[in-house]
Amino acid sequence: MKLTMKRFLMFAVTFFFVMSISINVFADTAESARNLFYTGNNINKTVDGKSDVYMAGNTISLNGTVEGDVIVAGNTINIDVNSIGGSVRAAGNIININSQINRNITAFANAININSNSKAKGVYVFAESVNLLGEVEDLYIVASKVELNGVVTGNAKIICDELIIAENARVDGSFDVKSENEPTVLGSFNTSKINFEKIETNNKNNNFLGSTVMGSFLGVELLGKVMSLITAIILVLLITLLCKKYLSNSYDRLVNKPWLPFLIGFATLIIVPILSMMLCFTVVCIPISIISILIYSVLIYIAPIISGIVIGRIVFRNMNKYLSAIVFTLIIKLITFIPFIGVIASLACLLLSLGLFIQNIFAILTEKQA
C-alpha cells in the first residue's frame, strides 16, 4: 500500500512537470465523434462541420457551413458562416454574427451585433449594447442600449436603459418594452404596438442592470443557500447510512496521517482534468473521460459533505455519528458562504474528499491483488 501510494505521488509530480513543459506540443484542433474543437489565441477557420463546432480563444473568426451547433467563447468573435443547422451559443467581449441560423442565438457579451444577412428562430441575448439588423422569429434582450433595425416576425421583449427603433424595424407580434426611458423612434414605426412599462428608479445614476436585477438575485441567492443546507442534511444522512465502511476507512486514514489525503487530493485535482481532456482526443477513450469527469464532478459536489462527516467524527467523538455529521457539515456549509474564507474552506474540503477517495480506491485494488 505504501509503495503504491508513493508511485502515485511520483507519477503525479512527473506528470505535472511533463505537462508544464510539453503542453504546446498538442494540436490546437481536434475532431472527436465528428465534432470539431479549436483553441488558440487567434483562430480563423473555414469549416465544413458535419456536427457541432467548439471554439475558445482571444480573436475568433468562423466561416463555412456547420450542420450542428456553434459553441464559442472569446474576446472578439466573428461568426460569418453560410448556414448553421443548430444553434449559436456564444460568450465574449464583442460578438458579430452574420449567418443563417436554423435554430436559436444565445449570447452574453459587452457588445452584440446581429447583421442584416442573419436569420434565426429565437434570439436571447444579454449585453451592454445590442444592434439587431437581421431577421428573427422571437426576440428577448436584456441590455443597457438596444438598437432595433431588423425584423421580428414573432414576439419581442426588451429590457434596457435606452431603446432606439430605427427606420427598418418591424415587429409582427407583441412588443413589450421595459425601460427607464421612452423608446426613440427614428422611422415610421407604429408606436401603438409597443407595450411600454416604465421602470422607476430612486437614484438616476444607478446602473440599470444592477438596480433591476439585484433584488431578484438576492432573493434567489438566499433561497438557494437554504435549499443547499437542506440538501446537505439529506445527503449526510444517506451517505452516513449507506457508506459506513468507506467513511470508517476514511476516518482511520485521516487520523493516522492527516496531511496525506490533502497531498493526494492536490495531485488528483491537477491530473484528472488534464487527463480527461487528453483522453477526449481519442475516440476509444471518450467514455473513460466522461466517466472520470462525472466521478470528479460528484466528488466536488459532495466534498463538504464527506469532509463534514469525517471531521465531525474526530471533533465530536462522543456525539452520535449522525448528529456529529450533520452539525459539522452545516458548520462547513455556513463557512463556505463567507467571502474569501469560504473559497479556502471549499478548496480544503475538495482536496480532502479527492484524497480520501483515491486512498480508498488504492486500498481496494491492493486488497484484490493480495
Side-chain angles (χ1 to χ4, degrees):
M1 177 66 181
K2 292 181 179 179
L3 181 60
T4 308
M5 260 319 148
K6 287 181 180 178
R7 286 177 177 173
F8 174 77
L9 291 174
M10 289 177 65
F11 167 74
V13 174
T14 304
F15 178 82
F16 181 68
F17 175 74
V18 171
M19 287 303 299
S20 66
I21 64 175
S22 63
I23 190 68
N24 290 328
V25 173
F26 294 99
D28 290 336
T29 305
E31 184 171 354
S32 176
R34 302 182 72 184
N35 294 332
L36 296 175
F37 299 84
Y38 300 99
T39 60
N41 184 35
N42 296 312
I43 306 172
N44 189 346
K45 295 293 180 181
T46 299
V47 301
D48 183 13
K50 301 301 181 183
S51 190
D52 299 338
V53 175
Y54 298 81
M55 309 182 79
N58 181 34
T59 302
I60 298 172
S61 296
L62 178 63
N63 304 279
T65 58
V66 178
E67 293 184 10
D69 295 338
V70 173
I71 298 93
V72 57
N75 181 31
T76 302
I77 300 170
N78 298 301
I79 301 175
D80 194 6
V81 179
N82 295 330
S83 64
I84 297 175
S87 298
V88 171
R89 299 179 180 90
N93 180 35
I94 300 173
I95 299 176
N96 300 309
I97 298 176
N98 189 32
S99 301
Q100 298 285 314
I101 300 165
N102 191 47
R103 297 183 65 187
N104 303 324
I105 297 173
T106 305
F108 302 81
N110 182 43
I112 299 175
N113 301 303
I114 301 174
N115 296 324
S116 57
N117 292 329
S118 298
K119 191 173 183 180
K121 284 190 175 179
V123 171
Y124 311 94
V125 295
F126 303 80
E128 177 67 21
S129 66
V130 177
N131 185 12
L132 175 65
L133 299 173
E135 179 180 333
V136 301
E137 287 189 16
D138 290 302
L139 178 67
Y140 184 90
I141 297 176
V142 176
S144 180
K145 180 179 180 180
V146 178
E147 183 169 348
L148 180 61
N149 199 22
V151 176
V152 182
T153 58
N155 302 322
K157 183 172 184 179
I158 298 176
I159 304 173
C160 64
D161 270 342
E162 179 185 1
L163 172 60
I164 299 173
I165 302 176
E167 293 85 351
N168 298 320
R170 192 186 88 203
V171 178
D172 294 340
S174 63
F175 191 10
D176 298 328
V177 177
K178 290 184 180 181
S179 178
E180 295 181 14
N181 307 298
E182 292 274 354
T184 300
V185 180
L186 301 180
S188 58
F189 189 87
N190 184 6
T191 56
S192 64
K193 295 189 62 176
I194 302 175
N195 181 21
F196 177 73
E197 179 180 344
K198 185 176 179 61
I199 298 175
E200 301 293 340
T201 57
N202 294 327
N203 185 353
K204 294 183 179 180
N205 294 324
N206 283 344
N207 179 271
F208 168 75
L209 293 179
S211 61
T212 56
V213 178
M214 185 59 70
S216 299
F217 277 172
L218 288 175
V220 173
E221 183 181 8
L222 180 60
L223 179 61
K225 288 180 178 179
V226 172
M227 293 301 298
S228 175
L229 294 176
I230 295 173
T231 304
I233 294 174
I234 296 173
L235 288 175
V236 164
L237 295 174
L238 290 174
I239 293 174
T240 305
L241 178 65
L242 300 175
C243 306
K244 295 178 181 179
K245 185 177 180 180
Y246 179 90
L247 295 173
S248 178
N249 293 336
S250 298
Y251 170 85
D252 293 337
R253 291 186 174 89
L254 186 59
V255 170
N256 293 334
K257 292 184 178 180
W259 55 270
L260 188 56
F262 292 96
L263 180 60
I264 297 172
F266 178 74
T268 307
L269 183 67
I270 296 172
I271 290 174
V272 171
I274 299 175
L275 272 179
S276 299
M277 291 180 64
M278 292 174 60
L279 290 174
C280 283
F281 292 118
T282 60
V283 177
V284 176
C285 295
I286 286 178
I288 299 175
S289 174
I290 294 174
I291 292 171
S292 64
I293 289 296
L294 288 175
I295 295 174
Y296 187 77
S297 302
V298 170
L299 290 173
I300 291 175
Y301 181 75
I302 66 172
I305 313 297
I306 298 296
S307 301
I309 296 172
V310 177
I311 299 177
R313 290 190 185 184
I314 298 175
V315 175
F316 306 115
R317 292 177 182 269
N318 298 323
M319 188 182 290
N320 176 276
K321 63 180 181 180
Y322 290 98
L323 184 58
S324 66
I326 291 174
V327 170
F328 207 84
T329 299
L330 290 178
I331 291 174
I332 291 177
K333 292 291 289 184
L334 291 173
I335 292 174
T336 60
F337 295 155
I338 303 174
F340 184 70
I341 297 175
V343 175
I344 298 174
S346 299
L347 179 61
C349 291
L350 176 58
L351 297 181
L352 178 60
S353 176
L354 292 174
L356 291 174
F357 178 78
I358 294 298
Q359 282 184 296
N360 279 288
I361 290 296
F362 271 107
I364 294 172
L365 294 176
T366 304
E367 289 175 3
K368 288 185 176 181
Q369 289 176 358

